Amino acid sequence: QVQPVESGGGLVQPGGSLRLSCAASGSFLSIVAAGWYRQAPGEQRELVAAITRGGTTNYADSVNGRFTISRDSAKNTVYLEMNSLKPEDTAVYYCNIEVYTGRSYVGYWGQGTRVTVSS
């Protein structure tokens, strides 16, 4: 079993920054791809940022230029650097990782970390 664990959420003022981490543990060979999603109260979960095996990144228009997704393969960890935060960024942030087990590709969700942007 693979368990991604998010951390780094919290309360931050508008204009501030946070760095989210998603550390994966368990039985797998590598993280093939990963994405950060968020879900605000009463809203559907949306994709915020994604990174492919080759390192190609994609961002939602609402965060492009402010957020950066990256990964450290040696640590099996994916990051989301969030700058110039706005109140509308308030949500629970989830990571989703696709791993290669040596036999198949499987996706897993983390439990989420809450980000609140407020003065």
Side-chain angles (χ1 to χ4, degrees):
Q1 185 69 345
V2 178
Q3 180 60 57
V5 178
E6 300 99 332
S7 61
L11 174 64
V12 63
Q13 292 187 341
S17 299
L18 282 175
R19 187 194 197 201
L20 305 184
S21 299
C22 173
S25 61
S27 181
F28 62 97
L29 296 183
S30 63
I31 297 176
V32 175
W36 283 96
Y37 294 71
R38 68 185 180 188
Q39 187 167 18
E43 301 290 334
Q44 289 188 333
R45 191 173 297 188
E46 62 173 351
L47 178 64
V48 173
I51 186 166
T52 67
R53 170 187 287 183
T56 300
T57 57
N58 291 285
Y59 300 93
D61 289 343
S62 58
V63 307
N64 198 21
R66 299 188 297 123
F67 290 10
T68 302
I69 187 171
S70 62
R71 66 185 175 196
D72 185 329
S73 297
K75 296 181 178 180
N76 288 324
T77 300
V78 181
Y79 303 99
L80 185 67
E81 186 76 35
M82 305 186 296
N83 299 313
S84 302
L85 282 162
K86 305 175 181 180
E88 51 264 43
D89 295 318
T90 295
V92 178
Y93 284 71
Y94 300 88
C95 75
N96 178 273
I97 60 170
E98 181 181 15
V99 303
Y100 179 56
T101 67
R103 299 172 58 184
S104 61
Y105 296 89
V106 187
Y108 295 91
W109 287 95
Q111 83 291 348
T113 185
R114 185 174 299 277
V115 172
T116 303
V117 184
S118 175
S119 55

